[in-house]
């Protein structure tokens, strides 16, 4: 029994008939072919699938596509605007916040949610915010620094505007 | 040689943009036209006879294309082991078939019984559930020591005592015993180096297709070494011509060893794609990864270290039972032997060493290389022993090390150091890293704080680990004599395009290590061109001539050196072209900063113009071929031997046993450094995997062979909020035998860190009067609490 | 990981939800953060899901007749960020921050957590210590039940199959009330290995609840009696620790055996009592 | 997974014994049984529907009462298979007279779990077995009371 969903993903509107059991992550990856959102586990633990649904960080492996009906979704592909990288995307490059890159989209999307709530996070609050995102490569230190870099950069651009 | 200063700089990674914007291309991202999807039916039991497999219901379900069982593959070989180790008596190791699908019996939980292929993954999953499997559960063995005892169940009916092989190395046992008898103090430790699950965050994924017109296969695989997979799959498993197979490892989401091996699914999907004439894709679920990705470690060891009255080590004796799991994985046999026994000299002048290893089959997931592979086990053993000996003898652990270090040697003026266990170290300054570590941690202050804490009823401890490893895994002649069934060289091709832009083709796959940046730095630096003018290509057997892959911290030392050889050839040929154009002798041409110059003159010609001339050879020497493109195979003279000093400071909560890691200092000497930022990143990641082993991780099997913590809900992965900021520094003792002077940094962190943490916890407990010798890793709060309370009462 | 196929109905009101709750092979989908993982692993195979995520009326957090009323559909994050909660029930703010991780807190709901009744979930201990009332609605109408009567066993509550939780009601504690949630997390799942919630009123009455310890969260009346009305000092804390966990079947798993978990629980009781000491 | 426990019932051992040896009462006493079919002497084919929170599993397999020492002990054996994993149990049950009209039932045994139950269920399995044994005794008590009445 398929159900129609209407969603806005990275600013574009989509309408599809989907099976209720289709997970949102599979809708994004297989139907919309937005493959930047990854699947790293089956217990909602690793955070590789983190996206924003209505502005909130979400593990989309634990959401049915039908639950997202009417929602506004941002994935890693939609984070940068007009070809300009988001400060987090820049920060991860500047501070070597990634190695294999697999956890990176989820990590960045989670960090983006954090910076919305807490523009000047401490090291401790960054580490706490990222507790639901596993990285096996970096040991997290440079990820923390990448988020600090982005926070600093966002603060400076605020000051300019 | 020319340099523009790129080598040694923390150049930002060129590969990052695709990953930070969601444009990485991992195997599971690929959907081919006519794609089909595979799901496996797997054994729930660790050991079971397959009584009946009924696929009739499943076959009739919607979307199902095919179902294959072990019976369909009776004539297909199993996946091979790449390294032969012989018994002490000379017999060849026992190497039972590792079939692509089991037909007779399942030997570990997760062993594949059937593959279901359907139009969609949903349909394949539904149908796999409908395959009826009747199994007769058999008694099983899980523990390596128990498996060799009389009466234990047999994993393979034709392998007596479950012994794949036994093996020994070092001085004759009698000599070691004699030296041990003379020791004034002997520290003995019986311990388990527990089994770890590698847990690269990208689950393994394969997508294989077959083109009936060209009769060519293409396999996309999340592998660390596509060429080796092609070689093993073609030559050993499927018997298909190698030139008819293209193996591509696109972006790979971490490996840590677990993606080196040739897995059954790779060959099986390739086989299926031809049966169906359609591409077949399978991506491991995490719960499958726990059961199938080759695990690491799993040694049961007894070790004794003898000291004389001055605290000099006089003898070391080691007996290890190594658990290989149910089948021999690709490199499993060399891990507990040539990558473990050979490292037991450590940094010390121990004159007599004997190591004895029994390698054992059990009804568990196969065990193979996991970051460090054998060397963490060796380091853990040595570094636990020496720290414990210091506690027992009431000597300072740093001081005890200084008394035993091999003196500094550069491998050029002074010769390499010949160990008692077959290796010759290349160059080292071992006391240097410990001195630096002590300074960084401010040792006297930590000891003072420890005493003060003890006075206030708190437990603070400091632990050391001074490690060495053998990496840059190569010399084909050496590994060949040790039983490796492949060569271990590397290939590097440098193709200068007519416009002076450069494409580099390397057999060293990159899956997080940043080769696209580091290798480009080398080429740009040596050729005096811009970094953006260099592109590094890897991971595709159709593009790259050959390769042996990335593992054992070998990429830069071996792969980088192969590229260096090709750069030298480019420059040499460039000089000949320049000589012709500048009407001088090639011997008189110097190359520096991207320019070919006639010595002592200002007559010069740029690299770009030489490149153009090579491809537009209108004015060109007769005896020179056009083009500027060289490929080199590099086979080094020796392993490389990075070393370092890791120091941990911990606090143990007396009431709960919870360990808090307060500080972690790492001084690593990985030889010359091309990109310090990347090296530091490798150290961070490595250290956390060692911390993971010490404090968080460990596969737990019950006696029935069930993995009882087969998900992230129970298997504890280190997280951001579990860790402090690390304090790192480097020392540089160049490798004398490769052109870059590099040693390798991929595994150092993991090898060094775990014993430092455990030593620190033991030290903390001793400071509170709990004279505990060992706590089994991972040091969960309950284990530490028990250690404190069972000895105190 | 793909769940078994099921039917799906999204409802907009509580009434619609109750009407849809007929038949026994169905499950209510709130945030889904306990249910969907179980469905992906096919441990759970409902024939139909009733999605109540769209009932906006259930998301409210408000003050009403001297009570804080938390709609069952409020997420952990909604509660964590809410000023009313921060003011009157600071331990809810503190405790909510320890649930799962940020992404989970953004979807998981208090109603879902209570209905699920995981033996190591965080909300059960907190609502017990707060002496909350659980408001439920079903075909027979609305009923309120004290949290102390709500949890009946492992994953078991008094909730009928055709009922749903609509709100959690807590009498606004008098000024000077102190509360805390102290949790020793299982290192992998971050569920409570042992956790203790305490609410201490100005008159010295002390509510103590544990989660992660037995097969469901519970109020520890033994410990409460030992400390209620007494000053919190070494002797009274010691007495409370001694009195705690009488007649409790303490759970055991590979992160905490029964004796260790019992010990940890008492240590965390002590921490909690010290945290509410004035 | 090891299981052990004790429970005192208000009935003499012979009566408890009789309740457990009877197919119809056994079906009411063992939690979750939706179908029980005698296939031999104290040997049954069974279907159990276990619902615990989010987990619902339908188990099919055999139940067997073995090593019968009337009225003091027997072993309950079961092999139960499901899509989420199999369970294989052997539980020794001792009936000890207490006073004149009571029985202490002590059980001790081992349940082997496989599949998803083994790898993912560890955290709650202790609680599950506890819950099921509580249910078993509650059912048994009810059954004994009913037959008294």
């Amino acid at each position: 029994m398929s159900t129609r969903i209407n969603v806005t993903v990275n600013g574009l509107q989509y309408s599809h008939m989907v099976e209720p059991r289709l997970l949102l992550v599979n809708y994004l990856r297989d139907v919309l072919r937005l493959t930047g959102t990854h699947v790293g586990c089956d217990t909602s633990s690793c955070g590789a699938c983190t996206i924003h649904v209505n502005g909130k960080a979400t593990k989309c492996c634990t959401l049915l596509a039908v639950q997202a009906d009417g929602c506004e979704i941002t994935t890693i592909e939609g984070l940068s605007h007009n070809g300009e990288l988001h400060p987090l995307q820049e920060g991860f490059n500047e501070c070597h916040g990634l190695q294999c890159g697999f956890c990176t989209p989820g990590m960045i999307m989670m960090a983006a949610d954090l910076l919305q709530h807490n523009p000047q996070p401490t090291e401790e609050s960054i580490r706490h915010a990222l507790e639901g995102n596993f990285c096996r490569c970096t040991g997290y230190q440079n990820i923390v620094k990448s988020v600090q870099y982005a926070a600093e950069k966002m603060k400076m651009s605020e000051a300019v505007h | 040689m020319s340099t523009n200063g790129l080598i040694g700089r923390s150049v930002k990674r060129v590969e990052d943009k695709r990953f930070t914007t969601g444009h990485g291309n991992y195997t599971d991202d690929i959907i081919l036209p006519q794609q089909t999807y595979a799901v496996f039916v797997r054994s729930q039991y660790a050991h079971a006879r397959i009584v009946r497999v009924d696929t009739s219901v499943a076959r009739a379900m919607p979307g199902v294309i095919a179902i294959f069982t072990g019976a369909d593959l009776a004539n297909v070989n199993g996946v091979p082991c790449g390294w032969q180790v012989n018994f002490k008596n000379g017999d060849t190791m026992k190497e039972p078939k590792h079939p692509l699908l089991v037909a007779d019996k399942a030997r570990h939980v997760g062993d594949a019984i059937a593959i279901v292929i359907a139009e969609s993954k949903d349909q394949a999953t539904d149908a796999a559930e409908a395959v009826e499997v009747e199994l007769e559960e058999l008694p099983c063995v899980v523990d390596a020591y128990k498996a060799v005892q009389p009466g234990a169940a047999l994993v393979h009916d034709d392998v007596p005592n479950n012994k794949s092989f036994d093996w020994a190395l070092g001085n004759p046992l009698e000599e070691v015993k004699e030296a041990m008898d003379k020791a004034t103090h002997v520290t003995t430790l019986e311990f388990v180096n527990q089994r770890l699950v590698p847990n690269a965050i990208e689950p393994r994924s394969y997508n294989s297709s077959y083109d009936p017109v060209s009769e060519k296969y293409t396999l996309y695989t999340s592998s660390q070494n596509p060429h080796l997979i092609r070689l093993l799959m073609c030559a050993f498993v499927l018997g298909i011509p190698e030139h008819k197979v293209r193996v591509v490892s696109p972006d790979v989401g971490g490996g840590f060893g677990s993606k080196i091996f040739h897995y059954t699914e790779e060959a099986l999907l390739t086989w299926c794609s031809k049966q169906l004439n359609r591409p077949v894709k399978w991506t491991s679920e995490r719960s499958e990864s726990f059961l199938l990705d080759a695990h690491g470690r799993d040694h049961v060891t007894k070790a004794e270290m003898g000291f004389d009255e001055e605290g000099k080590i006089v003898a070391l004796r080691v007996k290890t039972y190594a658990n290989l799991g149910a089948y021999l994985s690709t490199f499993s046999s060399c891990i507990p032997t040539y990558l473990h026994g050979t490292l037991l000299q450590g940094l010390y002048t121990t004159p007599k060493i004997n190591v004895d290893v029994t390698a054992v089959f059990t009804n568990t997931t196969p065990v193979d290389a996991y970051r460090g592979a054998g060397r963490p086990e060796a380091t853990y053993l040595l570094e636990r022993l020496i720290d414990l000996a210091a506690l027992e003898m009431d000597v300072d652990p740093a001081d005890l090390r200084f008394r035993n270090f091999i003196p500094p040697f550069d491998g050029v003026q002074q010769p390499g150091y010949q160990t008692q266990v077959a290796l010759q170290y290349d160059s080292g300054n071992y006391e240097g890293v410990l001195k630096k570590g002590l300074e960084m941690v401010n040792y006297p202050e930590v000891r003072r704080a420890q005493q003060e804490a003890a006075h206030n009823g708190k437990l603070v401890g400091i632990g050391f680990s001074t490690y060495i490893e053998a990496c840059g895994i190569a010399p084909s002649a050496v590994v060949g004599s040790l039983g490796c069934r492949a060569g271990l060289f590397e290939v590097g091709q440098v193709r200068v395009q007519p416009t002076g832009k450069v494409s580099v083709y390397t057999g060293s796959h990159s899956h997080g290590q940043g080769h696209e940046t580091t290798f480009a730095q080398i080429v740009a630096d040596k050729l005096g061109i811009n970094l953006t003018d260099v592109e590094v290509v890897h991971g595709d057997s159709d593009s790259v001539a050959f390769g042996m892959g990335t593992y054992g911290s070998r990429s830069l030392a071996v792969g980088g050196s192969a590229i260096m050889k090709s750069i030298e050839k480019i420059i040499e040929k460039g000089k000949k072209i320049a000589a012709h154009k500048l009407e001088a002798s090639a011997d008189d041409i110097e190359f520096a900063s991207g320019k070919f110059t006639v010595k002592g003159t200002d007559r010069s010609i740029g690299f770009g113009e030489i490149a153009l001339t090579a491809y537009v050879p209108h004015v060109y020497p007769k005896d020179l071929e056009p083009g500027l493109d060289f490929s080199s195979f590099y086979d080094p003279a020796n392993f490389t031997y990075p070393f370092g000093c890791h120091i941990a400071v911990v606090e143990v909560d007396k009431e709960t046993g919870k360990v808090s890691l307060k500080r972690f200092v790492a001084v690593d000497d990985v030889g010359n450094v091309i990109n310090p930022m990347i090296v530091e990143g490798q150290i961070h990641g490595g250290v956390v995997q060692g911390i993971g082993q010490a404090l968080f991780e460990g596969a737990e099997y019950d006696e029935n062979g069930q993995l009882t913590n087969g998900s992230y809900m129970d298997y504890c992965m280190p997280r951001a909020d579990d860790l402090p900021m690390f304090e790192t520094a480097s020392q540089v003792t160049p490798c004398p035998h490769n052109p870059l002077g590099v040693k390798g940094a991929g595994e150092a962190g993991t090898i060094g860190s775990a014993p430092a943490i455990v030593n620190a916890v033991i030290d903390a407990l001793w400071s509170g009067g709990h004279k505990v010798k060992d706590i089994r890793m991972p040091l969960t709060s309950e284990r530490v609490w028990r250690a404190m309370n069972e000895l105190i009462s | 990981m793909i769940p078994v196929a099921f039917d799906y109905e999204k409802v907009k009101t509580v009434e619609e939800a109750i009407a849809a709750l007929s038949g026994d092979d169905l499950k209510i989908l709130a945030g889904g953060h306990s249910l969907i993982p179980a469905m992906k692993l096919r441990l759970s195979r409902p024939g139909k899901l009733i999605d109540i995520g769209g009932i906006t009326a259930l998301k409210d957090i408000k003050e009403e007749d001297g009570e804080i009323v938390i709609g069952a559909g409020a997420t952990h994050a909604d509660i964590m960020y809410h000023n009313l909660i921060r003011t009157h029930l600071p331990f809810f703010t503190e405790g909510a921050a320890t649930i799962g991780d940020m992404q989970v807190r953004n979807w998981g709901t208090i109603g879902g957590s209570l209905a699920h009744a995981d033996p190591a979930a965080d909300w059960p201990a907190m609502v017990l210590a707060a002496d909350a009332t659980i408001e439920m609605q079903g075909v027979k109408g609305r009923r309120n039940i004290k949290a102390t009567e709500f949890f009946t066993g492992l994953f078991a509550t008094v909730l009928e199959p055709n009922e749903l939780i609509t709100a959690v009601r807590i009498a606004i504690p008098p000024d000077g009330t102190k509360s805390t949630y102290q949790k020793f997390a299982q290192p992998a799942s971050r569920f409570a290995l042992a956790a203790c919630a305490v609410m201490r009123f100005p008159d010295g009455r002390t509510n103590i609840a544990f989660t992660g310890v037995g097969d469901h969260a519970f109020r520890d009346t033994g410990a409460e009696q030992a400390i209620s009305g007494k000053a919190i000092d070494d002797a009274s804390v010691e007495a409370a620790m001694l009195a705690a966990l009488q007649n409790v079947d303490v759970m055991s798993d590979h992160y905490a055996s029964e004796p260790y978990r019992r010990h940890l629980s008492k240590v965390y009781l002590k921490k909690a009592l010290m945290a509410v000491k004035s | 997974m090891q299981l052990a426990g004790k429970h005192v019932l208000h009935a003499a051992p012979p009566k408890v014994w009789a309740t457990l040896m009877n197919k119809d009462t056994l079906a009411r006493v063992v939690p979750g049984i939706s179908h029980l079919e005698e296939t031999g002497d104290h040997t049954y084919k069974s279907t159990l529907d276990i619902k615990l929170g989010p987990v619902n599993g339908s188990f099919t397999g055999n139940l067997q009462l073995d090593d019968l020492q009337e009225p003091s002990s027997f072993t309950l054996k079961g092999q139960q298979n499901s899509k989420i994993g199999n369970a294989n149990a052997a539980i020794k049950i001792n009936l000890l007279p207490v006073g004149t009209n009571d029985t202490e039932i002590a059980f001790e045994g081992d349940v082997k779990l496989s599949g998803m139950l083994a790898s993912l269920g560890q955290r709650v399995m202790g609680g599950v077995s506890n819950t099921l044994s509580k249910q078993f005794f509650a059912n048994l008590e009810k059954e004994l009371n009913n037959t008294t009445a």
Side-chain angles (χ1 to χ4, degrees), chain A residues 79-90 93, chain B residues 17 20-21:
Chain A
L79 195 62
S80 54
H81 291 289
N82 309 323
E84 203 172 304
L85 291 181
H86 186 280
L88 276 162
Q89 292 170 316
E90 193 186 307
N93 178 241
Chain B
K17 192 170 181 183
T20 57
T21 58

Side-chain angles (χ1 to χ4, degrees), chain D residues 8-78:
Chain D
V8 176
L9 294 161
H10 298 296
K15 189 172 167 192
V16 176
W17 181 270
T19 308
L20 292 171
M21 293 302 137
N22 177 297
K23 183 202 152 216
D24 295 329
T25 44
L26 185 69
R28 289 197 289 269
V29 166
V30 175
I33 287 197
S34 61
H35 177 79
L36 193 71
E37 179 189 328
E38 203 153 3
T39 54
D41 224 11
H42 298 298
T43 307
Y44 307 94
K45 244 169 101 171
S46 64
T47 304
L48 282 88
D49 291 314
I50 305 292
K51 276 196 179 167
L52 271 170
V55 177
N56 45 10
S58 181
F59 291 81
T60 54
N62 306 310
L63 282 181
Q64 203 182 335
L65 308 182
D66 216 353
D67 309 326
L68 304 169
Q69 304 282 331
E70 187 175 354
S72 57
S73 75
F74 64 96
T75 305
L76 174 68
K77 290 183 179 167

Side-chain angles (χ1 to χ4, degrees), chain B residues 121-122 125-126 129 285 287 655-656 658 708-709 712-716 719 721-722 781-782 785-786, chain C residues 1-2 4 42 45 184 186-191 254-257 259-260 263-264 267-268 270-271:
Chain B
K121 196 173 170 187
D122 301 19
T125 306
D126 291 344
E129 211 178 61
E285 305 287 1
S287 46
E655 284 188 310
T656 63
K658 190 176 164 67
T708 60
N709 57 347
Y712 289 147
M713 297 303 280
D714 290 300
Y715 186 96
C716 182
R719 306 198 198 192
D721 59 352
D722 291 321
S781 47
E782 175 162 9
W785 176 75
R786 282 182 180 275
Chain C
M1 288 272 129
I2 295 154
V4 175
R42 299 194 163 199
R45 301 156 173 264
F184 190 96
Q186 196 258 46
S189 70
R190 304 267 167 122
F191 271 97
H254 68 234
Y255 279 104
S257 64
Y260 179 63
H263 165 79
L264 261 190
V267 170
Y268 273 69
K270 179 165 84 178
K271 279 184 198 286

